[in-house]
Amino acid sequence: MRLYYVDEREGEGCFVRSALGVDAERWNDLFQDVRAWRMELRDRYGIRPAIELQPFDLLAPPVGSDAGAWLSAADGAAVFRAGLQLIEDAARRRGDIEVINVCLPRQDRGRHEQTSLGRLLTRINTAVSAANRHAFLIFDEVREEPITRLYRRLRVNNPIPSRYESWDDGSPTRNIPLDRVIGGPAFRSAGGDHILQLAGFVAHALLLQEEGAGRVEDLDLAHTFAALDRALNREASARDAQGVVRR
C-alpha cells in the first residue's frame, strides 16, 4: 500500500495539485524524519509542532501570524526550503517517496479543478499499478464533497484518450477505472497532519516556479521546486523534464 497526501494551490494563471506518496511500510520512518524536523524548528525558531506551517505565512509573514510572526522573510524561506529538502533526502536515502504533480492553466467555471484532480488520480493509479501496489488517498478536508464525487465516478468510468489518434481497437478513448485506488479518499485537517502540510509545500513550490510573486525574486524562491529530483515521478509525464502533467 502507498499513502498519498494531496494538496493544491491556485495562482493567477495556474492551478496545481501535488501528491506526496509514501509506502505504508516506510511511513513510520518518514514520520520520524518529519517529527525530528518539527522539533528542530521548535528549538530554533519557537515554532510549536501544533502550529500549521503555511507557505503563505512563512514566505510573507503577516503581523500576528502563528507560523511566521517571529520569523524574518529569510528565515521563513529557509524553513520552506528545509521542508522540501526533507522530502528529497528521504527519497534519496530510502527510495520510498514519490511526488506526482499536475499544473494546468486556470479555466472558466472551475473546470481546471476537476480536470486536474482527474489527471492526478489517474497518474496515481498508474504508478501503483506499475509497482503492483494499491493507493490510499488523504486530502485536506476543505473540499470533501466534490473530491469524493469525482473519485466515485472515476472508479467506474475514467475515459483516457490515446497518446496517438486512437487505441489499438480504433477507439479514441479507453476506460481505465481507478481500480488500484482503494477505500475512498480520507479527509483530514492539515493543521493536525505534518505530512499533509509538506504536500502543500510541494504544490506551493511548483506554483512559485510557474508564476512567481511578491518577494520571490529577492528570496530566490522560484527555484525551490528544483530541490526535488529523486522524489519526482517523472513517468507521470514524459513530455516534461520534471514529470509535471500539464495537459
Side-chain angles (χ1 to χ4, degrees):
M1 178 75 71
R2 186 171 294 158
L3 309 178
Y4 286 90
Y5 293 80
V6 183
D7 207 351
E8 64 193 52
R9 289 294 185 274
E10 186 169 9
E12 293 183 1
C14 298
F15 189 88
V16 171
R17 286 192 191 270
S18 295
L20 171 58
V22 55
D23 291 350
E25 298 85 351
R26 295 289 189 175
W27 186 90
N28 280 327
D29 296 330
L30 178 61
F31 175 78
Q32 292 300 331
D33 289 346
V34 176
R35 184 178 184 278
W37 177 57
R38 293 303 303 259
M39 294 301 102
E40 180 182 340
L41 295 183
R42 180 198 63 186
D43 296 341
R44 183 170 184 178
Y45 300 111
I47 302 175
R48 293 180 290 110
I51 295 297
E52 179 180 359
L53 291 182
Q54 283 277 8
F56 297 106
D57 292 342
L58 291 172
L59 304 181
V63 175
S65 164
D66 286 337
W70 50 82
L71 298 179
S72 67
D75 285 342
V79 172
F80 183 58
R81 292 190 183 95
L84 295 169
Q85 193 62 51
L86 184 155
I87 297 169
E88 177 64 16
D89 290 346
R92 289 185 176 277
R93 286 198 310 273
R94 297 188 296 268
D96 53 9
I97 302 289
E98 75 167 350
V99 175
I100 302 176
N101 299 283
V102 175
C103 180
L104 300 180
R106 289 179 56 184
Q107 302 168 354
D108 294 337
R109 299 179 183 176
R111 292 291 298 174
H112 52 275
E113 297 186 24
Q114 185 177 37
T115 302
S116 65
L117 181 58
R119 299 286 191 273
L120 185 67
L121 296 186
T122 297
R123 264 55 177 203
I124 289 173
N125 193 74
T126 300
V128 293
S129 180
N132 196 27
R133 300 178 73 91
H134 290 83
F136 184 75
L137 308 175
I138 301 168
F139 289 83
D140 194 337
E141 60 188 5
V142 175
R143 292 184 175 90
E144 181 170 346
E145 196 236 337
I147 291 172
T148 300
R149 186 170 61 247
L150 180 61
Y151 164 80
R152 289 173 176 170
R153 178 168 66 81
L154 296 181
R155 282 278 301 176
V156 177
N157 183 34
N158 185 25
I160 304 298
S162 170
R163 293 183 181 180
Y164 309 100
E165 292 184 1
S166 62
W167 292 93
D168 294 341
D169 62 359
S171 301
T173 63
R174 173 179 292 176
N175 185 32
I176 305 178
L178 302 181
D179 57 344
R180 292 281 179 163
V181 183
I182 64 174
F187 297 88
R188 304 188 62 175
S189 167
D193 193 315
H194 294 160
I195 300 178
L196 187 54
Q197 291 171 36
L198 286 180
F201 274 39
V202 175
H204 199 87
L206 179 55
L207 183 64
L208 290 176
Q209 174 181 277
E210 299 303 306
E211 293 193 355
R215 290 180 288 179
V216 168
E217 294 182 3
D218 294 339
L219 297 172
D220 197 30
L221 292 173
H223 299 97
T224 52
F225 187 76
L228 301 176
D229 179 23
R230 179 68 177 272
L232 296 176
N233 182 339
R234 290 184 168 83
E235 294 182 1
S237 176
R239 297 183 177 93
D240 187 87
Q242 296 172 315
V244 178
V245 178
R246 300 183 180 278
R247 52 181 295 182

